[in-house]
Amino acid sequence: MNNEYPKHFSYNYEIDLGRVPARKTDRVSINILLPGIFFGALLAIIGVYEFLDGFISSSTAFDDLTVTTPQRTTLLTPVIFDFVMIAIGLGVVVSLVSSYIKYKKIFFDGSTFIITHRPLFGAKKVISESLTNYEGVRARIEYFQFGLINRNKYIIELYHEDNEKTIPLYISLKDKNLNSLIKSYAEKLGKPIIVMRGGDFVARTVEEFSQSLVDMDRDLDGYSLELEEYSPKTLVVARKGDKTILKVKRAVWDAYNVLAIFIILVLGFVLSILILNSPGFTFAAVVAYSFAVLGILASVLALFKRDKIIIKPEKIIVHHKFLGFSKKQSEMMKKDIKSIEVTTNPATGRSYLTIGTEDRDMIFGKKVPMDDLVWARVFLIKELIK
């Protein structure tokens, strides 16, 4: 599904269309590049130092990870540890340098966009496209790996059916004031706002986009809804007094759950090897223990975490549930909610509900199947406008 969406490189990007001509470069930030190269190179240098010192002397900083008992053969030798450090460090450096070579330069003179693409290999490509050929302003969320952390990248772009001509307008790791920015860009460019519903696009005027769902015209495309005779497979509804609770009733299994189990098994095996072969708590051993334990805990959390929505008379609350514990993630007043849409993440293929106000979004049901999400969207809208 990645091919359905254009690739943008920045993590902190905003083009100012209030002053024309406008120009901006979509590229990995130097603030991310330089620290990443430094730590990657440092890791590789430490690995090289330890490797060479292992030949010169009979001991290294990682010797405590091995056992001297002749009856036992260790699987984690200092040489293997050194080569792993070198490979990871060099991989980080090469990846970051490669990402910096690629960029897109955007130039706008008020009526025409000129896009200069610089690939990793080959010559630059320059594309010119009139503003009249663009369909509207679109916002989406892109899921990506940021070091060891999973992050969402929030993107506002001027949509063209040709991905090479789609213009990045705003990119951030924060979801603050997104709807205000969407409206601002739509007004400056004189374009409608494109709302994504699963794989479909629905165009909205700025005025329609600004309305809360409570006040929205029921005949507006996409909001004249009736719940069909469909029973969701993974969702259940409970009513308690003046509260309605919509929750994921059981753990939902997909390819990512299988991956999480695989990671737990691998890290568990590594942890057991470390415990059996490390006689003491050296610095290297503590780092290895910590990495393995944190990886296992993160995978277990991803495996068993479930969502629920509590609908109260004046607000909606999203909770995360984990092994019987429930924690409030975020809440919104009903009167502030502008949209409830099914969003598909192109990086993972997962779909989920995005509940949006003027300046932020709530997400529900990352593992829930598409049919259940479509049903949940209709259910929530009807609960909202009662």
Coordinates of all heavy atoms in Angstrom, one line a residue, residues 335-377:
K335 N -19.3 18.7 21.3 CA -19.6 19.9 20.5 C -18.4 20.3 19.7 O -18.5 21.0 18.7 CB -20.1 21.0 21.3 CG -19.0 21.5 22.4 CD -19.6 22.6 23.2 CE -18.6 23.1 24.3 NZ -17.3 23.6 23.7
D336 N -17.2 19.8 20.1 CA -15.9 20.2 19.4 C -15.5 19.2 18.3 O -14.6 19.5 17.5 CB -14.8 20.3 20.4 CG -15.0 21.3 21.5 OD1 -15.7 22.3 21.1 OD2 -14.5 21.2 22.6
I337 N -16.2 18.1 18.2 CA -15.8 17.1 17.2 C -16.2 17.4 15.8 O -17.4 17.7 15.6 CB -16.3 15.7 17.6 CG1 -15.7 15.2 19.0 CG2 -16.0 14.6 16.5 CD1 -16.2 13.9 19.5
K338 N -15.2 17.5 14.9 CA -15.5 17.9 13.5 C -15.7 16.7 12.6 O -16.3 16.8 11.6 CB -14.3 18.8 13.0 CG -14.0 20.0 13.9 CD -15.1 21.0 13.8 CE -14.6 22.3 14.6 NZ -15.7 23.3 14.7
S339 N -15.0 15.6 12.9 CA -15.0 14.5 12.0 C -14.7 13.2 12.7 O -14.0 13.2 13.7 CB -14.0 14.7 10.8 OG -12.7 14.7 11.4
I340 N -15.3 12.1 12.2 CA -15.0 10.7 12.6 C -14.8 10.0 11.3 O -15.7 9.8 10.5 CB -16.1 10.1 13.4 CG1 -16.3 10.9 14.7 CG2 -15.7 8.7 13.8 CD1 -17.5 10.4 15.6
E341 N -13.6 9.6 11.0 CA -13.2 8.9 9.8 C -12.4 7.6 10.0 O -11.7 7.5 11.0 CB -12.4 9.9 8.9 CG -13.1 11.2 8.6 CD -14.4 11.1 7.8 OE1 -14.6 10.0 7.2 OE2 -15.1 12.1 7.7
V342 N -12.6 6.7 9.0 CA -11.7 5.5 9.0 C -10.5 5.9 8.2 O -10.5 6.3 7.1 CB -12.5 4.4 8.3 CG1 -11.5 3.1 8.3 CG2 -13.7 4.0 9.1
T343 N -9.3 5.7 8.9 CA -8.0 6.1 8.3 C -7.2 4.8 8.1 O -7.2 4.0 9.0 CB -7.3 7.1 9.1 OG1 -8.1 8.2 9.3 CG2 -6.0 7.5 8.5
T344 N -6.5 4.7 7.0 CA -5.6 3.6 6.7 C -4.2 4.1 6.7 O -3.9 5.0 6.0 CB -6.0 2.9 5.4 OG1 -7.3 2.4 5.4 CG2 -5.0 1.7 5.1
N345 N -3.4 3.4 7.5 CA -2.0 3.8 7.6 C -1.2 3.0 6.5 O -1.2 1.8 6.5 CB -1.4 3.3 8.9 CG 0.0 3.9 9.2 OD1 0.8 3.9 8.3 ND2 0.3 4.3 10.4
P346 N -0.6 3.8 5.5 CA 0.0 3.1 4.4 C 1.3 2.3 4.8 O 1.6 1.4 4.1 CB 0.4 4.3 3.5 CG 0.5 5.5 4.4 CD -0.6 5.2 5.4
A347 N 1.9 2.7 5.9 CA 3.1 2.0 6.3 C 2.9 0.6 6.9 O 3.7 -0.3 6.7 CB 3.9 2.8 7.3
T348 N 1.7 0.4 7.6 CA 1.4 -0.8 8.2 C 0.3 -1.6 7.6 O 0.1 -2.8 7.8 CB 1.1 -0.6 9.7 OG1 -0.1 0.2 9.8 CG2 2.2 0.2 10.4
G349 N -0.6 -0.9 6.8 CA -1.8 -1.5 6.3 C -2.9 -1.6 7.3 O -4.0 -2.0 6.9
R350 N -2.7 -1.1 8.5 CA -3.7 -1.1 9.5 C -4.6 0.1 9.3 O -4.2 1.1 8.9 CB -3.1 -1.1 10.9 CG -2.6 -2.4 11.4 CD -2.0 -2.3 12.8 NE -1.7 -3.6 13.4 CZ -1.0 -3.7 14.6 NH1 -0.7 -2.6 15.2 NH2 -0.8 -4.9 15.1
S351 N -5.9 -0.2 9.7 CA -6.9 0.9 9.7 C -7.4 1.2 11.1 O -7.2 0.3 12.0 CB -8.1 0.6 8.8 OG -7.7 0.4 7.5
Y352 N -7.9 2.4 11.3 CA -8.3 2.8 12.7 C -9.3 4.0 12.5 O -9.3 4.6 11.4 CB -7.2 3.1 13.6 CG -6.1 4.0 12.9 CD1 -6.3 5.4 12.9 CD2 -5.0 3.5 12.3 CE1 -5.3 6.2 12.3 CE2 -4.1 4.3 11.7 CZ -4.2 5.7 11.7 OH -3.3 6.5 11.1
L353 N -10.0 4.3 13.6 CA -10.8 5.5 13.6 C -10.0 6.7 14.0 O -9.3 6.6 15.0 CB -12.0 5.3 14.5 CG -13.2 4.5 14.1 CD1 -14.3 4.6 15.1 CD2 -13.8 5.0 12.7
T354 N -10.2 7.8 13.3 CA -9.6 9.1 13.7 C -10.8 10.0 14.1 O -11.6 10.3 13.2 CB -8.8 9.7 12.6 OG1 -7.8 8.8 12.2 CG2 -8.1 11.0 13.0
I355 N -10.8 10.4 15.3 CA -11.8 11.4 15.8 C -11.2 12.7 16.0 O -10.2 12.9 16.8 CB -12.4 10.9 17.2 CG1 -12.9 9.4 17.0 CG2 -13.5 11.8 17.7 CD1 -13.2 8.8 18.3
G356 N -11.6 13.7 15.2 CA -10.9 15.0 15.2 C -11.7 16.2 15.6 O -12.9 16.3 15.4
T357 N -11.0 17.1 16.3 CA -11.5 18.4 16.6 C -10.8 19.4 15.8 O -10.1 19.1 14.9 CB -11.3 18.7 18.1 OG1 -9.9 18.9 18.4 CG2 -11.9 17.6 19.0
E358 N -10.9 20.7 16.2 CA -10.2 21.8 15.5 C -8.7 21.6 15.5 O -8.0 22.0 14.6 CB -10.6 23.1 16.1 CG -10.1 24.3 15.3 CD -10.7 24.5 14.0 OE1 -11.8 24.0 13.8 OE2 -10.1 25.2 13.1
D359 N -8.1 21.1 16.7 CA -6.7 21.2 16.9 C -6.0 19.9 17.2 O -4.8 19.8 17.4 CB -6.3 22.2 17.9 CG -7.0 21.9 19.3 OD1 -7.7 20.9 19.4 OD2 -6.7 22.7 20.2
R360 N -6.8 18.8 17.3 CA -6.1 17.5 17.6 C -7.0 16.3 17.2 O -8.2 16.5 16.9 CB -5.8 17.4 19.1 CG -7.0 17.4 20.0 CD -6.5 17.6 21.5 NE -7.7 17.6 22.4 CZ -8.1 16.5 23.0 NH1 -7.5 15.3 22.8 NH2 -9.1 16.5 23.8
D361 N -6.4 15.1 17.3 CA -7.1 13.9 16.9 C -7.0 12.8 18.0 O -6.0 12.8 18.8 CB -6.5 13.3 15.7 CG -6.7 14.1 14.4 OD1 -7.8 14.7 14.3 OD2 -5.8 14.3 13.6
M362 N -8.0 12.0 18.1 CA -7.9 10.8 18.9 C -8.0 9.6 18.0 O -8.7 9.6 17.0 CB -9.1 10.7 19.9 CG -9.1 11.7 21.0 SD -10.3 11.3 22.4 CE -11.8 11.1 21.5
I363 N -7.3 8.5 18.4 CA -7.3 7.3 17.5 C -7.8 6.1 18.3 O -7.6 6.0 19.5 CB -5.8 7.0 17.1 CG1 -5.4 8.1 16.1 CG2 -5.7 5.6 16.5 CD1 -3.9 8.0 15.7
F364 N -8.7 5.3 17.6 CA -9.3 4.2 18.3 C -9.2 3.0 17.3 O -9.5 3.1 16.1 CB -10.8 4.5 18.6 CG -11.6 3.2 19.0 CD1 -11.5 2.7 20.3 CD2 -12.4 2.6 18.0 CE1 -12.2 1.6 20.6 CE2 -13.1 1.5 18.4 CZ -13.0 1.0 19.7
G365 N -8.8 1.8 17.9 CA -9.0 0.5 17.2 C -8.0 0.3 16.1 O -8.3 -0.1 14.9
K366 N -6.7 0.3 16.4 CA -5.6 0.1 15.4 C -5.6 -1.3 14.9 O -5.1 -1.5 13.8 CB -4.2 0.4 16.0 CG -3.9 1.9 16.1 CD -2.5 2.2 16.5 CE -2.2 3.7 16.4 NZ -0.8 3.9 16.7
K367 N -6.1 -2.3 15.6 CA -6.1 -3.7 15.1 C -7.4 -4.2 14.6 O -7.6 -5.3 14.2 CB -5.6 -4.6 16.3 CG -4.2 -4.4 16.7 CD -3.8 -5.4 17.8 CE -2.4 -5.2 18.3 NZ -2.1 -6.1 19.4
V368 N -8.4 -3.3 14.7 CA -9.8 -3.7 14.4 C -10.0 -3.8 12.9 O -9.5 -3.0 12.1 CB -10.8 -2.7 15.0 CG1 -12.2 -3.0 14.6 CG2 -10.7 -2.7 16.5
P369 N -10.7 -4.9 12.4 CA -10.9 -5.0 11.0 C -11.7 -3.9 10.4 O -12.5 -3.2 11.1 CB -11.7 -6.3 10.9 CG -11.5 -7.0 12.2 CD -11.2 -6.0 13.2
M370 N -11.5 -3.7 9.0 CA -12.1 -2.5 8.4 C -13.6 -2.5 8.5 O -14.2 -1.5 8.8 CB -11.7 -2.6 6.9 CG -12.4 -1.5 6.0 SD -11.9 0.2 6.4 CE -10.3 0.3 5.6
D371 N -14.3 -3.6 8.3 CA -15.8 -3.7 8.4 C -16.3 -3.2 9.8 O -17.3 -2.5 9.9 CB -16.3 -5.1 8.1 CG -16.1 -5.4 6.6 OD1 -15.9 -4.5 5.8 OD2 -16.2 -6.6 6.3
D372 N -15.6 -3.7 10.8 CA -16.0 -3.2 12.2 C -15.7 -1.8 12.4 O -16.5 -1.1 13.1 CB -15.2 -4.0 13.2 CG -15.7 -5.5 13.3 OD1 -16.5 -5.9 12.5 OD2 -15.2 -6.2 14.2
L373 N -14.7 -1.2 11.8 CA -14.4 0.2 11.9 C -15.5 1.1 11.2 O -15.9 2.1 11.7 CB -13.0 0.6 11.4 CG -11.8 0.1 12.2 CD1 -10.5 0.3 11.4 CD2 -11.8 0.7 13.5
V374 N -15.9 0.6 10.0 CA -16.9 1.3 9.3 C -18.2 1.3 10.1 O -18.9 2.3 10.3 CB -17.2 0.7 7.9 CG1 -18.4 1.3 7.2 CG2 -15.9 0.8 7.0
W375 N -18.5 0.2 10.7 CA -19.7 0.1 11.6 C -19.5 1.0 12.8 O -20.5 1.7 13.2 CB -19.9 -1.4 12.1 CG -21.1 -1.5 13.0 CD1 -22.4 -1.9 12.6 CD2 -21.1 -1.4 14.4 NE1 -23.2 -1.9 13.7 CE2 -22.4 -1.7 14.8 CE3 -20.1 -1.1 15.4 CZ2 -22.8 -1.6 16.2 CZ3 -20.5 -1.0 16.7 CH2 -21.8 -1.3 17.1
A376 N -18.4 1.0 13.4 CA -18.1 1.8 14.6 C -18.2 3.3 14.3 O -18.7 4.1 15.1 CB -16.7 1.5 15.2
R377 N -17.8 3.7 13.1 CA -17.9 5.1 12.7 C -19.3 5.6 12.6 O -19.7 6.6 13.2 CB -17.2 5.3 11.3 CG -17.4 6.7 10.7 CD -16.8 6.8 9.4 NE -17.1 8.1 8.8 CZ -18.1 8.4 8.1 NH1 -19.0 7.5 7.9 NH2 -18.3 9.7 7.7

